[in-house]
Amino acid sequence: MPFRPIPRTTTWSARTHGRRGRRAGLCAVLLTGSVATLLAVGPTATAVTGTSERSGAGATQATATSEARVTTAVLDLDQPADKPQVRGKDVPYDTASIIKVDILTALLLQAQDAGRDLTQQDCTQAEAMIERSDNDAANALWRRIGAAPGLDAVNKRLGLSSTVGGAGGKWGLTRTTVTDQIRLLRAVFGGESALTTTSRNYISALMTRIVAGQSWGVSAASDSGWALKNGWLQRSTTGLWDINSVGRVTSGTHHYLVAVLSDGNASMTGGIAAVERAARTAVSSARATG
């Protein structure tokens, strides 16, 4: 899909894009394709090369557990239902870095409300936060949106009823459920949304540009295109891992929103394998019943 550069001094607009001459775009490039086209440009899943979350996710206070748990939710965008198909207990998990999609959503909604554009710094940090999972960028934008109170206010507007922002600057310890993650993904990829089309295209575009070493997770359930964000966090008190993945995948002729949350994993690689198995199973089940 072609991209055309625009000057670095250009800001990215979060305002409604119905005005003559205004076009949706990334900060550094002009987006000329549709969301469906964007989903085809993600790299294939590869072995993870990242390390555990740094200070942005925060230290954890966990109770040791001997068994991993995983919960999935899938919603078929081509045959939308009121509720996603959920496998496992729909209980709260730590988000780790999947919260970065929610942080960017809050940043864009606040900009829309104020009738202003994102600054070049906002855009640079947003792109680093989503594409490379940069924690320093997330720290800055977390403060920009008003930390947990700002996030919670936006989530209330989006209908996320079981997501609570992490306290004390620890955004990675935000608690969420798979059904809330589907609600957030739906605000980006389908259905009615407080986000403008421009804002939605911006988020989805960044989620197709994840660096290769982080392109694992729900992408395992796709046979053509995907857009995703992953999270991984080793708990300091147990050494066990939270491994999460959320996004949109294409399987067969349908597009699915998928959220997989897990914790208690003995290793990062084992957690990733479990999340990918769960994603494939959940999407296969949705295809069979769709």
Side-chain angles (χ1 to χ4, degrees), residues 13-50:
S13 174
R15 301 174 190 171
T16 304
H17 87 177
R19 302 175 185 175
R20 182 173 300 177
R22 175 156 294 188
R23 304 175 67 180
L26 299 171
C27 287
V29 293
L30 186 65
L31 178 62
T32 58
S34 66
V35 173
T37 302
L38 287 169
L39 285 169
V41 305
T44 56
T46 62
V48 64
T49 59

Coordinates of all heavy atoms in Angstrom, one line a residue, residues 13-50:
S13 N -4.4 15.7 12.5 CA -5.6 16.2 13.0 C -6.4 15.1 13.6 O -6.6 14.0 13.1 CB -6.4 16.8 11.8 OG -7.7 17.2 12.3
A14 N -6.9 15.4 14.8 CA -7.9 14.5 15.5 C -9.3 15.0 15.3 O -10.2 14.4 15.9 CB -7.5 14.4 16.9
R15 N -9.5 16.1 14.6 CA -10.8 16.6 14.4 C -11.6 15.8 13.4 O -11.1 15.1 12.6 CB -10.7 18.1 13.9 CG -10.0 19.0 14.9 CD -9.8 20.3 14.4 NE -8.9 21.1 15.2 CZ -8.4 22.3 14.9 NH1 -8.7 22.8 13.7 NH2 -7.6 22.9 15.7
T16 N -12.9 16.0 13.4 CA -13.8 15.3 12.4 C -13.3 15.7 11.0 O -13.1 16.8 10.7 CB -15.2 15.7 12.6 OG1 -15.6 15.5 13.9 CG2 -16.1 15.0 11.6
H17 N -13.2 14.7 10.1 CA -12.6 15.0 8.8 C -13.6 15.0 7.7 O -13.5 14.4 6.7 CB -11.5 14.0 8.5 CG -11.9 12.7 7.9 ND1 -11.0 11.7 7.5 CD2 -13.1 12.3 7.5 CE1 -11.7 10.8 6.9 NE2 -12.9 11.1 6.9
G18 N -14.6 15.9 7.9 CA -15.6 16.1 6.8 C -15.3 17.3 6.0 O -15.9 17.6 5.0
R19 N -14.3 18.1 6.4 CA -14.0 19.4 5.8 C -13.3 19.2 4.4 O -12.5 18.2 4.3 CB -13.1 20.2 6.6 CG -13.7 20.5 8.0 CD -12.8 21.3 8.9 NE -13.3 21.4 10.2 CZ -12.6 22.0 11.2 NH1 -11.4 22.4 11.1 NH2 -13.2 22.1 12.4
R20 N -13.6 20.0 3.5 CA -13.0 19.9 2.2 C -11.5 20.0 2.3 O -10.9 20.9 2.9 CB -13.5 21.1 1.3 CG -12.9 21.0 -0.2 CD -13.6 22.0 -1.0 NE -15.1 21.8 -1.1 CZ -15.9 22.6 -1.8 NH1 -15.5 23.6 -2.4 NH2 -17.2 22.3 -1.8
G21 N -10.8 19.1 1.6 CA -9.3 19.1 1.6 C -8.7 18.4 2.7 O -7.5 18.2 2.7
R22 N -9.4 18.0 3.8 CA -8.8 17.4 4.9 C -8.8 15.9 4.6 O -9.8 15.3 4.3 CB -9.6 17.7 6.2 CG -9.1 16.9 7.4 CD -9.4 17.6 8.7 NE -8.7 18.8 8.8 CZ -8.7 19.6 9.8 NH1 -9.3 19.2 10.9 NH2 -8.0 20.7 9.9
R23 N -7.7 15.2 4.9 CA -7.6 13.8 4.7 C -7.0 13.1 5.9 O -6.1 13.6 6.6 CB -6.7 13.5 3.4 CG -7.2 14.2 2.2 CD -6.3 14.0 1.0 NE -6.3 12.6 0.6 CZ -5.5 12.2 -0.4 NH1 -4.7 13.0 -1.1 NH2 -5.6 11.0 -0.8
A24 N -7.5 11.8 6.1 CA -6.9 11.1 7.3 C -5.5 10.8 7.0 O -5.1 10.5 5.9 CB -7.7 9.8 7.4
G25 N -4.6 10.8 8.1 CA -3.3 10.4 7.8 C -2.4 10.2 9.1 O -2.9 10.5 10.2
L26 N -1.3 9.6 8.9 CA -0.3 9.5 10.0 C 0.4 10.8 10.1 O 0.4 11.6 9.2 CB 0.7 8.4 9.6 CG 0.1 7.0 9.5 CD1 1.1 6.0 9.0 CD2 -0.4 6.5 10.8
C27 N 1.2 11.0 11.2 CA 1.9 12.2 11.3 C 3.0 12.4 10.3 O 3.2 13.4 9.7 CB 2.6 12.3 12.7 SG 1.4 12.6 14.0
A28 N 3.7 11.3 10.0 CA 4.9 11.4 9.1 C 4.6 10.9 7.7 O 5.4 11.1 6.8 CB 6.0 10.5 9.7
V29 N 3.4 10.3 7.5 CA 3.0 9.8 6.2 C 1.6 10.1 6.0 O 0.8 10.1 6.9 CB 3.3 8.3 6.0 CG1 4.8 8.1 6.0 CG2 2.6 7.5 7.0
L30 N 1.1 10.2 4.7 CA -0.3 10.4 4.4 C -0.9 9.0 4.1 O -0.4 8.3 3.2 CB -0.4 11.2 3.2 CG -1.8 11.6 2.8 CD1 -2.4 12.5 3.9 CD2 -1.8 12.4 1.5
L31 N -1.9 8.6 4.8 CA -2.5 7.4 4.7 C -3.5 7.4 3.5 O -4.4 8.2 3.5 CB -3.3 7.0 6.0 CG -4.1 5.7 6.0 CD1 -3.2 4.5 5.8 CD2 -4.8 5.6 7.4
T32 N -3.4 6.5 2.5 CA -4.2 6.6 1.4 C -5.1 5.4 1.2 O -5.9 5.3 0.3 CB -3.3 6.7 0.1 OG1 -2.4 5.6 0.0 CG2 -2.6 8.0 0.1
G33 N -4.9 4.3 2.0 CA -5.7 3.1 1.9 C -6.8 3.0 2.9 O -6.9 3.8 3.8
S34 N -7.6 2.0 2.8 CA -8.7 1.7 3.7 C -8.1 0.9 4.9 O -7.1 0.3 4.8 CB -9.8 1.0 3.1 OG -9.4 -0.3 2.7
V35 N -8.9 0.8 6.0 CA -8.5 -0.1 7.1 C -8.4 -1.5 6.6 O -7.4 -2.2 7.0 CB -9.5 0.1 8.2 CG1 -9.2 -0.9 9.3 CG2 -9.5 1.5 8.8
A36 N -9.3 -2.0 5.8 CA -9.2 -3.4 5.3 C -7.8 -3.6 4.6 O -7.2 -4.6 4.7 CB -10.3 -3.7 4.4
T37 N -7.4 -2.6 3.8 CA -6.1 -2.7 3.1 C -5.0 -2.7 4.1 O -4.0 -3.5 4.0 CB -5.9 -1.6 2.1 OG1 -7.0 -1.6 1.2 CG2 -4.6 -1.7 1.3
L38 N -5.1 -1.9 5.1 CA -4.0 -1.8 6.1 C -3.8 -3.1 6.8 O -2.6 -3.4 7.1 CB -4.4 -0.7 7.1 CG -4.3 0.7 6.7 CD1 -4.9 1.6 7.7 CD2 -2.8 1.1 6.4
L39 N -4.8 -3.9 7.0 CA -4.7 -5.1 7.7 C -3.8 -6.1 6.9 O -3.4 -7.1 7.5 CB -6.1 -5.7 8.0 CG -6.9 -5.0 9.1 CD1 -8.3 -5.5 9.1 CD2 -6.2 -5.3 10.4
A40 N -3.6 -5.9 5.7 CA -2.8 -6.9 4.9 C -1.3 -6.6 4.9 O -0.6 -7.4 4.4 CB -3.3 -6.9 3.5
V41 N -0.9 -5.5 5.6 CA 0.5 -5.2 5.5 C 1.3 -5.6 6.7 O 2.5 -5.4 6.7 CB 0.7 -3.6 5.3 CG1 -0.1 -3.2 4.1 CG2 0.3 -2.9 6.6
G42 N 0.7 -6.2 7.7 CA 1.5 -6.6 8.9 C 2.4 -7.8 8.5 O 2.1 -8.6 7.7
P43 N 3.6 -7.8 9.2 CA 4.5 -8.9 8.9 C 4.0 -10.2 9.6 O 3.1 -10.2 10.4 CB 5.8 -8.5 9.6 CG 5.3 -7.5 10.7 CD 4.1 -6.8 10.1
T44 N 4.5 -11.4 9.1 CA 4.0 -12.6 9.7 C 4.6 -12.7 11.1 O 5.6 -12.1 11.5 CB 4.5 -13.8 8.9 OG1 5.9 -13.7 8.7 CG2 3.9 -13.8 7.5
A45 N 3.9 -13.6 11.9 CA 4.4 -13.7 13.3 C 5.8 -14.3 13.4 O 6.1 -15.2 12.6 CB 3.4 -14.6 14.1
T46 N 6.6 -13.8 14.3 CA 8.0 -14.3 14.4 C 8.3 -14.5 15.8 O 7.5 -14.2 16.7 CB 9.0 -13.2 13.9 OG1 8.8 -12.0 14.7 CG2 8.7 -12.9 12.4
A47 N 9.5 -15.1 16.1 CA 9.9 -15.3 17.5 C 10.1 -14.0 18.2 O 10.5 -13.0 17.6 CB 11.2 -16.1 17.5
V48 N 9.7 -14.0 19.4 CA 9.8 -12.7 20.2 C 11.2 -12.4 20.5 O 12.0 -13.3 20.8 CB 9.0 -12.8 21.5 CG1 9.5 -13.9 22.4 CG2 8.9 -11.5 22.2
T49 N 11.6 -11.1 20.4 CA 12.9 -10.7 20.7 C 12.9 -9.6 21.8 O 14.0 -9.2 22.3 CB 13.6 -10.0 19.5 OG1 12.8 -8.9 19.1 CG2 13.7 -11.0 18.3
G50 N 11.7 -9.3 22.3 CA 11.6 -8.3 23.4 C 12.0 -8.8 24.7 O 12.2 -10.0 24.9

